[in-house]
Amino acid sequence: MIQQSWRSVVLGWLCLEVLLLLAGQGFAIAQVQRGVQARRAMVVTAHLLASQVGIDILRQGGSVVDAAIAVQFALAVVYPSAGNIGGGGFMVIRQQDGRVYALDFRETAPLRAHRDMYLDSLGNVIPGRSLYGHLAVGVPGTVDGMVKAHQRFGRLPWHRLLEPAIRLASEGFPLTQREAAKLNRFREKFLQYNRKPPPYVRPDRPWKAGDTLRLPALAVTLRRIQQEGRKGFYEGETARLLVAEMQRGNGLITLEDLQQYEARWREPIVTAYRGYRVISMGPPSSGGVLLAQLLRIVEDYPIAQWGWMDWRTLHLMIEAEKRVYADRARYLGDPDFVRMPLRGLLSKSYLRERMRSFRFDRATPPDSITFGNPYRYESEETTHFSIADSAGNAVAVTTTLNGPYGSFVVVEGAGFLLNNEMDDFSAKPGVPNAYGLIGYEANAIAPRKRMLSSMTPTIVDRDSVLVMVLGTPGGSTIITSVFQTILNVLDFGMTMQQAVAAPRFHHQWRPPWVYYEPGRFTPAIRRKLEALGHVLRQRRSIGRVDAILRLPNGILEGGADPRGDDTAVGW
Ligand code: DON
């Protein structure tokens, strides 16, 4: 059962009722109405305050990229478990003329990192070393990413985009029930990895919903970024504080690492799907490649005719997922370091070849090797936001510290959290990371290399008209959540809000299990899938998709994931 309380989001003009029936009784899709609708613009993020910041920037005449930058900084304040300036991410942009862009502000391994840095003298992975504390931190990319995005697509002056975040950090903001509970849950970790208790730890009692969280040191750091741009983070006082923090905790990042960091414009991965154009993030994210592979595989089958709850649809999707995640482990990594057979991976004939072993009457036998529990580090603590305007401009950003609150290290004096993205590398060939993902040479650690991601910020259009903007957190499950949300709308005719709320499932090749949220797999379907040889495991919740659909009449519909505090705000 999805435990988060499914709630009504009431924003004046919206009343959304999500009814999730008990496991096995089916999902009452018809109960979910359309999401927030608006004519001019839509912003959907993990937090109401961040969504409002985005809409305010658009109202002031900002571009969708301006809004995205302001949202990114606002989330670093109001959504500290994943919003960040000490992490990284990816931005996919569509201009109203149909041109598309992809910005990579993924973290890099520090210059002093090396391949075996998380192994003991016997060559075994040291548990937790890549996950917590100073050694887990990659060189942050967010601030340079925002600067580069602004240089190319900004319309409002830079300082205006930082102002809302600075105000929220210095004046404080009320904690939601979820954020308060999360901060309390990780209290010990904050105390363990910081010399002095950071502001995320309340000294007198546990946090409660409605408590005000003030982040004055973060406000000062944001002010430096506001005044000096890139230099306000990668040089000067902020850089000095970050490096001092690293030295206190035996971390690796130096001033040189910070100076050398560069966000990069990349070619987006563009694929056709049933007459639509799907634009997503290429390497160093695996998201766009795997999403394109999945779509190109299922395109050969009449899934819309079979139906959303038909066992053939589910079996096919699961079998496709197994195969593409195996490719991920073998081939994908940082394009600046590894040559990847992308043309081959995406070619129809290759994918048909991969599906030759697909049978309707049985699951391809699960690999005999099983791996550890990929969700030992379970979290939904990346964050995605989607922004679109009526002209067809759109931005999809997925950004992260990796785990909830990243490494838990808060830079003393500078007040921001550092990522634990180093865990996304393959610490040892074939040994699973926190998400149960395995990798080999292509994703081995090397200085300055970017760790392979699954983040999948995605935009869909058709015949030059914007259709959808979407993405989600969820580690390895990001790709399959985006995949399913796209099919929910394009093949199964759901509204954006229905598509986002609908229960999800996930297979990533290894471990050889299908994870599922209750609701889609009825007892009859479970029996059928098990008879085919699938091993099913129920999970609490998969992903937090925040998405926008442009309806045929031009109205924008927001789809905010009811699994979190996610909120759509329209204009
Ligand atoms: O880049 C990645 O694929 C991961 N660092 C994303 C982490 C994530 O989604 C955490 N939430 N579950």
Side-chain angles (χ1 to χ4, degrees), residues 81-82 88-90 106-107 284-287 328 375 377-383 398-404 420-424 433 435 437 451-456 472-479 539 543-544:
S81 60
F90 301 103
R106 182 69 162 169
E107 300 90 326
S285 179
S286 60
R328 180 193 196 276
Y375 300 105
Y377 182 49
E378 183 177 308
S379 77
E380 302 303 333
E381 297 312 344
T382 291
T383 192
T398 314
T399 180
T400 192
L401 292 163
N402 192 23
N420 61 343
E421 219 75 61
M422 290 295 283
D423 187 68
D424 278 350
N433 75 351
Y435 303 105
L437 292 167
M451 53 298 277
L452 183 62
S453 175
S454 302
M455 292 189 281
T456 314
T472 181
S476 55
T477 66
I478 289 174
I479 304 164
R539 257 197 68 182
R544 302 262 169 89

Side-chain angles (χ1 to χ4, degrees), residues 356-372:
R356 270 242 284 273
S357 53
F358 170 68
R359 296 277 176 282
F360 275 106
D361 59 354
R362 63 178 159 85
T364 307
D367 199 289
S368 52
I369 308 153
T370 62
F371 287 82

Side-chain angles (χ1 to χ4, degrees), residues 248-265:
R248 265 196 298 281
N250 295 320
L252 302 184
I253 297 173
T254 60
L255 285 177
E256 194 185 355
D257 279 309
L258 295 172
Q259 262 149 26
Q260 287 192 8
Y261 182 84
E262 287 266 12
R264 287 194 205 289
W265 292 100

